[in-house]
Amino acid sequence: MSKLLFAGAAALLATNVMAACPSVSGPNEGGAFPHLFERTEFEQKYGCAMSFSENPAIAKLNARIAGNPDLMPLAKRLPAEPLVVAPYGQIGIYGGVLDGISKATESGTSDLLSVRHVNLVRYNDDLQTVVPNIAKSWTWNEDFTQLTFELRKGHKWSDGAAFTAEDIAFWYNNMLMDTNIIEKPKDRFMSEGKPMKVEALDETTVRFTLNAPKPGLLANFALDYAQPFQPKHLLSKFHPEFNKDADKLAKQLGFDNGYAVINFYYGQSDWKDVPTPLLKDKAASDRLVKAGFTAIAPTLESHLVVAETLEGRRLVANPYFFQVDTAGNQLPYINEINEVFIGDQDIQTAKLIAGDVDYKSQAVNLPQAPVLLENKEQGNYEIALRPTIGETTFAFNLTDKDMEKRAVFNDVNFRRAMSVAVNRDQINEIAYFGLGKPTQYTAFDADTASFVTEDLKSAWTQYDQKLAKGLLDKAGVVDKDGDGLRDLPSGKKFELNIQYATQGAATEVVEIIANNWNDVGVKATIKEVTSDEYRNSQTANDLSVLFWVMGRPLATLASDTQTLLPPYDNFFGLRTGMLWAQYRDTNGAEGVKPPQSVNEMQTMADRFVTLPSGSDASNKLGVEIAKRVVDDLFIIGTVKAVNPIYRSNKLGNFETPKTWSYDYYRVYPYLPSQWFLDENGVAKN
């Protein structure tokens, strides 16, 4: 069954087409998103022959890339079928530096990752339609057990090497499934818990064969931060399956073995923002360059890293990027990205107010909005408030190291008590200026999953201190010594020491919740930490209370059920039940056996990914899953609100995202490759 979006995209160009192509921009007939065409489709539509132009600074920019060879002519750098983009507002201007800030390397960096990100496909800005990107087209078989992608002939990596279907097969078969590189592959890249079959059928055709239907796999590629391709031409030289002298070569370069070089480039993770070789070990990267290798692994993204320190990183335009505008100009327009690492929220806010940043969304919380709105004319920027996909949630460590606390946390009466003790209306008014809605966590974003009922969204969200106190009594958490504070059942002092990061929860939200819990006799103290500190402590099972944004669109859960099962998210999200996850990962050899509820959820999750999203069967099962999540209250919701999106008025062709959302990967659906900077005035959008 064909899923090609653009009919006729592969048709041959008529031989008598000679006219120059128009510089098309602006909304198309069907909506606000830019036109997307394959080259031959565009030429046929407008009866023209495309010619191509390059950024006049591209050779100079490329000279900064250590280890890269001299540039080929543009005609050889572009694929035969470049993706043609009609910009939102106008044909852009080459040049400029996009200024951005992140919390730190590996923390709060998704804003700028999404600017340069690519995947096989992506969601269009309607957030409904999957469209081509790296892949030119795709085809499903009838039962959703076989997905075949067609790539672009002549597509190249940023170092000029050919990008082919072999790079996808190599990523899956020889990296993701090699325990020397990835200890355990993520479930979303498996089928029924077993590897998929990934084959390069020819240079431009790759096929994924599944063990069971998985119609959400296509959406997974559209949403995912991980890129399902790696440069085989570089990494296979250090892989023992491809080079019997891989270890010898690696040792000549100062590494222990070939896998050490692969991990030096790749970082042992599909999270592509781990520190680059330039930051890991500058001397080692210099040795690689001296030996004729590149300092940074080649990429297909719009920009590539050329410098990285503990203070930030610098990126330049990819001279082999596969997109062009309708005038034939190779994208991206913006020459460079300057990413500065700033962990302090007050300093971040000051830089935003001063107009020193061109785009920022992640870790900008609604309580910052008034001061940002007040200063927007002075700083020459705009602030848009957009609905969130997830919401700030909290959870208790269900496998806490303190055995008595663990027992209390596993009592559903305690979790229900701590939910109804929270004054969500107060959170909404103070932290979200009345713009949100109290909502229970159901795993699904209700705006994308219409089957989630109002009863489920409101369950255990009423503010009822009397009920909370009664439920705490029922859980055995009572005041045994008469000091006004509740104690553990044994009589030991019971105190919740809350650590949180502002990337995951606004301070005002945590303060209100801690005060609410103190009001019902549960002593709670709070301490702000960095995102990295929080995540490391959480993963080490050292936190008793967890705070982070949770909630996924239906498209995500239809392909990736990670947030339904222990530990309920990856390193970068909210994690609870770490020892339950360990028990499941080791088949009971280690960790703590989870309750039967977890096994029941596993059964439902396994079936959910086999059903076409939006079908009656999928919706019926989705309701059961949401009900199980609410009944368990392993994760507890607060308020679903709006969050600010910041952008400089100098930034052209910027379409404000429909949601403030990591789940659709920030600005990825809005083609930031066609952004440009107008330093002389206000850009047209």
Side-chain angles (χ1 to χ4, degrees):
M1 178 173 59
S2 175
K3 296 287 183 180
L4 301 184
L5 179 66
F6 301 115
L12 293 175
L13 178 64
T15 57
N16 61 347
V17 173
M18 296 298 292
C21 289
S23 300
V24 178
S25 64
N28 71 0
E29 299 86 349
F33 57 83
H35 305 297
L36 291 175
F37 303 96
E38 301 304 331
R39 174 185 178 178
T40 50
E41 180 190 28
F42 183 78
E43 290 175 324
Q44 285 190 328
K45 179 178 177 69
Y46 291 100
C48 63
M50 292 198 79
S51 59
F52 301 105
S53 302
E54 67 180 12
N55 183 337
I58 199 69
K60 184 177 179 180
L61 293 170
N62 187 68
R64 297 173 59 172
I65 304 170
N68 263 18
D70 293 336
L71 288 184
M72 304 175 187
L74 180 61
K76 293 185 177 180
R77 298 203 310 267
L78 289 171
E81 282 280 345
L83 184 64
V84 181
V85 176
Y88 278 104
Q90 65 187 75
I91 299 299
I93 304 166
Y94 279 128
V97 177
L98 182 79
D99 288 309
I101 51 177
S102 300
K103 286 278 189 180
T105 181
E106 294 191 77
S107 176
T109 55
S110 286
D111 269 336
L112 294 175
L113 287 176
S114 72
V115 170
R116 68 187 207 245
H117 180 62
V118 292
N119 209 314
L120 293 173
V121 291
R122 68 178 181 85
Y123 267 95
N124 217 335
D125 68 5
D126 61 0
L127 305 186
Q128 301 288 324
T129 312
V130 176
V131 296
N133 201 28
I134 294 297
K136 181 182 171 183
S137 60
W138 62 89
T139 306
W140 276 109
N141 67 348
E142 290 188 1
D143 65 355
F144 295 101
T145 58
Q146 200 170 77
L147 177 60
T148 304
F149 288 102
E150 187 70 24
L151 306 179
R152 301 172 189 280
K153 186 176 181 181
H155 197 162
K156 293 180 175 63
W157 289 97
S158 59
D159 62 355
F163 165 67
T164 73
E166 290 287 349
D167 293 305
I168 298 174
F170 176 77
W171 160 78
Y172 192 85
N173 299 319
N174 305 109
M175 296 188 68
L176 205 61
M177 295 300 150
D178 188 330
T179 55
N180 294 289
I181 301 171
I182 296 292
E183 184 177 349
K184 182 178 183 292
K186 298 293 189 293
D187 287 345
R188 67 186 188 278
F189 294 127
M190 306 288 274
S191 174
E192 285 199 322
K194 300 184 289 291
M196 299 182 280
K197 183 179 181 181
V198 181
E199 309 167 89
L201 303 184
D202 57 39
E203 188 176 90
T204 57
T205 311
V206 63
R207 177 173 293 165
F208 290 77
T209 302
L210 310 170
N211 304 304
K214 195 172 184 178
L217 180 62
L218 182 68
N220 183 71
F221 288 126
L223 294 163
D224 210 285
Y225 62 80
Q227 294 177 341
F229 32 77
Q230 288 294 323
K232 181 182 178 182
H233 67 280
L234 169 66
L235 299 181
S236 64
K237 294 175 183 177
F238 301 99
H239 200 299
E241 288 188 32
F242 295 87
N243 181 6
K244 62 182 178 59
D245 294 322
D247 291 342
K248 179 180 177 181
L249 175 60
K251 288 176 181 178
Q252 290 172 352
L253 295 166
F255 293 87
D256 290 340
N257 54 44
Y259 282 120
V261 183
I262 292 174
N263 289 323
F264 188 60
Y265 280 119
Y266 182 59
Q268 293 183 290
S269 171
D270 266 316
W271 174 245
K272 58 187 171 59
D273 203 33
V274 293
T276 66
L278 293 173
L279 183 57
K280 287 179 184 174
D281 189 334
K282 182 65 164 58
S285 60
D286 287 345
R287 289 196 302 272
L288 286 167
V289 172
K290 189 175 180 180
F293 297 99
T294 179
I296 302 289
T299 183
L300 301 178
E301 296 177 330
S302 64
H303 293 80
L304 56 152
V305 177
V306 294
E308 182 173 21
T309 68
L310 291 173
E311 286 70 47
R313 60 167 70 93
R314 195 87 173 177
L315 302 97
V316 300
N318 178 0
Y320 292 88
F321 196 56
F322 68 103
Q323 295 177 8
V324 298
D325 68 15
T326 54
N329 300 305
Q330 185 186 27
L331 299 175
Y333 296 125
I334 294 175
N335 280 3
E336 303 185 46
I337 298 175
N338 180 37
E339 181 175 6
V340 178
F341 300 148
I342 299 175
D344 186 281
Q345 187 176 46
D346 290 338
I347 297 176
Q348 280 202 8
T349 302
K351 288 186 74 66
L352 294 172
I353 289 171
D356 294 339
V357 177
D358 292 312
Y359 158 71
K360 184 67 181 164
S361 175
Q362 187 177 24
V364 182
N365 295 313
L366 193 58
Q368 295 167 264
V371 68
L372 292 174
L373 287 166
E374 183 180 343
N375 290 279
K376 67 178 187 174
E377 290 186 13
Q378 168 191 323
N380 193 30
Y381 59 80
E382 291 294 332
I383 296 292
L385 300 180
R386 286 293 185 265
T388 59
I389 290 288
E391 61 180 310
T392 297
T393 62
F394 61 88
F396 300 96
N397 188 346
L398 300 166
T399 56
D400 197 286
K401 289 179 177 178
D402 184 314
M403 298 300 291
E404 193 170 10
K405 280 186 178 179
R406 182 191 298 181
V408 168
F409 295 160
N410 275 273
D411 188 329
V412 71
N413 291 305
F414 175 81
R415 301 194 297 275
R416 289 172 176 171
M418 299 301 268
S419 181
V420 299
V422 172
N423 189 339
R424 291 170 176 80
D425 288 334
Q426 185 183 26
I427 291 173
N428 188 30
E429 290 304 316
I430 293 176
Y432 301 126
F433 309 110
L435 299 174
K437 180 180 179 182
T439 309
Q440 188 53 267
Y441 176 74
T442 65
F444 297 94
D445 169 59
D447 291 336
T448 61
S450 58
F451 53 76
V452 178
T453 65
E454 290 299 322
D455 285 346
L456 290 172
K457 288 187 281 188
S458 63
W460 304 105
T461 62
Q462 71 271 32
Y463 177 50
D464 191 333
Q465 287 196 333
K466 181 179 180 181
L467 176 59
K469 291 174 181 178
L471 289 166
L472 287 170
D473 291 345
K474 200 171 181 179
V477 181
V478 299
D479 179 7
K480 290 183 176 284
D481 58 11
D483 67 351
L485 295 172
R486 293 177 181 269
D487 304 301
L488 291 167
S490 68
K492 287 172 57 179
K493 294 291 183 185
F494 183 29
E495 183 174 345
L496 297 176
N497 298 308
I498 301 168
Q499 295 184 35
Y500 73 98
T502 55
Q503 185 182 332
T507 297
E508 292 82 353
V509 174
V510 182
E511 286 177 338
I512 291 169
I513 291 174
N515 289 334
N516 291 160
W517 290 345
N518 278 296
D519 289 343
V520 295
V522 177
K523 185 177 181 181
T525 60
I526 70 172
K527 177 185 177 183
E528 182 183 347
V529 297
T530 68
S531 301
D532 287 338
E533 288 172 328
Y534 174 88
R535 286 162 169 160
N536 289 330
S537 295
Q538 181 179 245
T539 300
N541 203 35
D542 287 338
L543 301 181
S544 290
V545 187
L546 305 317
F547 275 88
W548 208 263
V549 175
M550 292 286 282
R552 299 288 183 263
L554 176 59
T556 299
L557 284 170
S559 59
D560 179 11
T561 58
Q562 173 181 241
T563 54
L564 298 178
L565 299 161
Y568 300 101
D569 212 336
N570 58 32
F571 176 77
F572 301 97
L574 184 150
R575 311 183 94 186
T576 185
M578 294 295 294
L579 300 184
W580 289 356
Q582 187 180 39
Y583 183 94
R584 288 160 53 81
D585 288 344
T586 62
N587 294 317
E590 300 174 27
V592 173
K593 184 178 181 179
Q596 179 60 26
S597 174
V598 171
N599 296 329
E600 293 169 359
M601 181 63 82
Q602 178 74 69
T603 300
M604 290 190 286
D606 288 346
R607 174 159 168 70
F608 192 67
V609 297
T610 70
L611 303 172
S613 181
S615 66
D616 289 344
S618 175
N619 290 347
K620 182 179 179 180
L621 184 54
V623 173
E624 293 181 36
I625 289 172
K627 186 175 186 304
R628 169 61 64 192
V629 170
V630 170
D631 286 346
D632 287 337
L633 281 188
F634 293 155
I635 300 168
I636 300 169
T638 58
V639 176
K640 191 172 186 295
V642 297
N643 255 33
I645 296 175
Y646 173 108
R647 67 102 173 169
S648 168
N649 285 325
K650 297 181 297 183
L651 192 59
N653 291 337
F654 183 91
E655 177 75 5
T656 303
K658 288 181 170 60
T659 69
W660 182 94
S661 168
Y662 169 82
D663 298 276
Y664 290 97
Y665 215 46
R666 304 288 177 194
V667 294
Y668 180 48
Y670 305 91
L671 286 169
S673 60
Q674 45 93 56
W675 289 356
F676 69 95
L677 291 164
D678 182 356
E679 300 291 345
N680 298 316
V682 177
K684 177 183 175 183
N685 286 286

